[in-house]
């Protein structure tokens, strides 16, 4: 089945540690996106990539980093510089003529 | 500054009746609007969209209306079913799908049987 896989579903991080969230898609989509959702808020864009080896900052990129070395993969690293990392993280992908498709998310918590 | 606003945090509707979810936007450059549905612990799924060149788009039980002069759109679900109970997000973009989406905060819909 084609789709977007985010792993793990739940992730725990100690203070001061970096952590990487995985996002893989087999939909042959060019564009990929990372969003963050906090309780009572909409999705906010962290980073997006419209082509391999290129990506742009979204609205809340501080404390995060990404890479896009392969079309299928768009990992997100939450660095120790992100002061409030506890949230639900969603990855999406799309072709340019279709709506974004989302994965089932990763919930990150700080120990 | 919130560019996309969903002012009703929640809505409760009886099964079989109409559900109307509202969304307002402030950015005149937005020309494409989408509705997503989200269940707990899952990612949003695309429901329906509308381009700014239209004022209505219908797909089965779901209809989206766009009023550009008022910068307002609404999603109508008729008839509402218990399985429609979810969080509904309105989203907008300036340009087609490949561009960034700006999301509202969502409205929790509860359909009572």
């Amino acid at each position: 089945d084609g789709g977007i896989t985010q792993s793990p579903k739940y992730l725990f991080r100690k203070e001061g540690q970096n952590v990487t969230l995985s996002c893989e898609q087999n939909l042959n989509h060019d564009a990929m996106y990372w969003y963050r959702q906090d309780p009572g808020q909409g999705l906010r864009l962290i980073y997006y990539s419209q082509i391999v080896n290129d990506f742009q900052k979204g609205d809340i990129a501080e404390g995060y980093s990404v890479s896009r070395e392969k079309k299928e993969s768009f990992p997100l690293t939450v660095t120790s510089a992100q002061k409030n990392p506890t949230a639900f993280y969603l990855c999406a992908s799309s072709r340019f003529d279709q709506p974004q498709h989302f994965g089932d998310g990763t919930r990150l918590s700080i120990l | 500054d919130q560019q996309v606003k969903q002012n009703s945090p929640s809505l409760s509707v009886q099964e079989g009746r109409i559900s109307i979810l509202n969304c307002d936007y402030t950015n005149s450059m937005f020309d494409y609007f989408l509705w997503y549905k989200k269940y707990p612990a899952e990612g949003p799924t695309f429901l329906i969209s509308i381009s700014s060149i239209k004022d209505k788009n219908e797909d089965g039980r779901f209809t989206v209306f766009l009023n550009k002069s008022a910068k307002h759109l609404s999603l109508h679900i008729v008839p509402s079913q218990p399985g429609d109970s979810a969080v509904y997000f309105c989203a907008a973009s300036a340009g087609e799908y490949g561009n960034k989406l700006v999301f509202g905060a969502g409205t929790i819909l509860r359909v009572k049987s």
Side-chain angles (χ1 to χ4, degrees):
Chain A
D1 273 6
I4 301 174
T5 302
Q6 289 188 244
S7 60
K9 196 165 184 67
Y10 300 95
L11 190 56
F12 299 91
R13 191 193 90 171
K14 292 183 180 179
E15 295 261 7
Q17 281 185 339
N18 293 353
V19 64
T20 297
L21 283 62
S22 170
C23 178
E24 304 278 333
Q25 55 99 359
N26 59 6
L27 299 167
N28 199 32
H29 287 169
D30 289 301
M32 296 188 74
Y33 312 81
W34 274 106
Y35 294 89
R36 168 182 173 140
Q37 186 189 13
D38 294 284
Q41 295 191 38
L43 283 65
R44 292 183 291 166
L45 183 64
I46 304 172
Y47 267 98
Y48 65 105
S49 166
Q50 295 183 321
I51 196 169
V52 174
N53 292 323
D54 187 44
F55 48 83
Q56 288 78 40
K57 292 182 179 179
D59 301 316
I60 54 166
E62 186 176 351
Y64 300 97
S65 66
V66 293
S67 63
R68 187 84 188 277
E69 297 176 1
K70 298 186 300 183
K71 188 176 185 177
E72 306 78 30
S73 178
F74 192 39
L76 173 74
T77 296
V78 184
T79 75
S80 57
Q82 170 51 238
K83 298 306 178 190
N84 187 21
T86 296
F88 189 50
Y89 290 87
L90 286 158
C91 178
S93 71
S94 71
R95 282 176 43 179
F96 293 113
D97 59 348
Q98 291 180 352
Q100 292 179 24
H101 292 254
F102 285 83
D104 281 340
T106 293
R107 185 165 297 281
L108 175 63
S109 301
I110 302 304
L111 295 177
Chain B
D1 179 35
Q2 276 189 300
Q3 299 185 68
V4 177
K5 298 179 185 179
Q6 294 178 255
N7 291 319
S8 298
S10 65
L11 174 68
S12 187
V13 171
Q14 197 68 33
E15 181 180 7
R17 305 293 292 269
I18 185 172
S19 296
I20 300 176
L21 296 96
N22 294 303
C23 179
D24 297 295
Y25 62 97
T26 57
N27 189 340
S28 300
M29 298 301 293
F30 288 147
D31 58 3
Y32 211 91
F33 305 89
L34 305 89
W35 285 94
Y36 281 85
K37 174 180 178 180
K38 184 182 180 302
Y39 294 116
E42 293 183 9
T45 55
F46 170 72
L47 202 54
I48 193 169
S49 63
I50 188 166
S51 165
S52 60
I53 62 173
K54 295 184 177 181
D55 55 18
K56 176 182 174 181
N57 189 27
E58 192 171 352
D59 184 1
R61 297 186 297 115
F62 303 92
T63 303
V64 55
F65 295 92
L66 175 62
N67 182 334
K68 283 181 291 184
S69 60
K71 293 190 177 68
H72 176 84
L73 64 154
S74 61
L75 174 68
H76 293 212
I77 306 174
V78 182
S80 300
Q81 300 173 353
D84 295 329
S85 297
V87 180
Y88 289 78
F89 289 100
C90 170
S93 71
E96 283 287 335
Y97 302 100
N99 285 335
K100 299 185 299 180
L101 290 179
V102 179
F103 283 82
T107 297
I108 301 170
L109 174 66
R110 295 186 184 93
V111 180
K112 299 176 289 186
S113 55

